[in-house]
Amino acid sequence: MPLKIVDYYATLDAGHLDEAVEMLSEDVDFSMILPSGANRKTGRAAMLEYLSGRPPVGRQHRILRSAADEDLQFAHGAVTEGDRTTGYFVGVMHVRSDGLIDRYQVSFDAEFALLDTDAGDRR
C-alpha cells in the first residue's frame, strides 16, 4: 500500500493540484525550507495559492526513499525538470487518523544529495 506522502507527490506531478490539496486538512500547517527562505503558512487555500504560483516547468519528484513511523511519513528524492535534476528534497508529513495531512515540512537543496548513488545524476 503506497504511503500518503508518495501519493501526494505523484498527484502534484500529474498536475492535479486540487486533488493534492484535498489530501490536506483544512487547517494544515506547512513549512517549506527553500534556498530563497522559509515559507510557513496555514490552510489548504494557502497551499493551493503557493502551488498554483509556481512556474510551469515540468517539475517531477523522483522518490528515492520513503518510510513511515506511526503517524509520520517521510520521503527523500530528487526534483527533476525534463531530464535534468535540479536538486534534492526531504519531506515529512503528519497524517491524522482520518487520513488527512495536517502538518507538512519539506526542505530543498539544489546541490546536496543524501545518497552517493544519486549524486552523479546532477546535470
Side-chain angles (χ1 to χ4, degrees):
M1 178 175 177
L3 297 176
K4 179 73 80 165
I5 194 167
V6 173
D7 289 343
Y8 176 79
Y9 286 118
T11 303
L12 279 182
D13 292 348
H16 304 297
L17 302 185
D18 289 326
E19 288 178 37
V21 172
E22 286 176 12
M23 295 179 185
L24 310 174
S25 67
E26 283 290 338
D27 60 347
V28 63
D29 287 321
F30 61 91
S31 177
M32 297 177 179
I33 312 303
L34 307 169
S36 60
N39 176 21
R40 292 185 184 96
K41 296 193 177 158
T42 299
R44 276 185 182 169
M47 179 64 88
L48 184 58
E49 179 181 355
Y50 168 77
L51 294 171
S52 299
R54 297 184 310 173
V57 293
R59 179 181 299 106
Q60 297 288 302
H61 298 83
R62 187 166 49 89
I63 306 291
L64 301 171
R65 298 284 193 281
S66 60
D69 184 10
E70 296 184 28
D71 51 358
L72 287 180
Q73 296 185 6
F74 308 85
H76 166 64
V79 177
T80 62
E81 293 176 10
D83 65 351
R84 186 174 77 86
T85 298
T86 60
Y88 300 89
F89 72 96
V90 175
V92 181
M93 293 179 167
H94 178 261
V95 181
R96 298 188 323 200
S97 61
D98 64 2
L100 293 176
I101 299 157
D102 65 350
R103 297 189 55 85
Y104 170 53
Q105 180 178 351
V106 66
S107 63
F108 173 83
D109 191 294
E111 298 176 9
F112 186 76
L114 287 171
L115 302 170
D116 289 337
T117 56
D118 199 60
D121 190 49
R122 283 180 272 160
R123 298 176 205 177

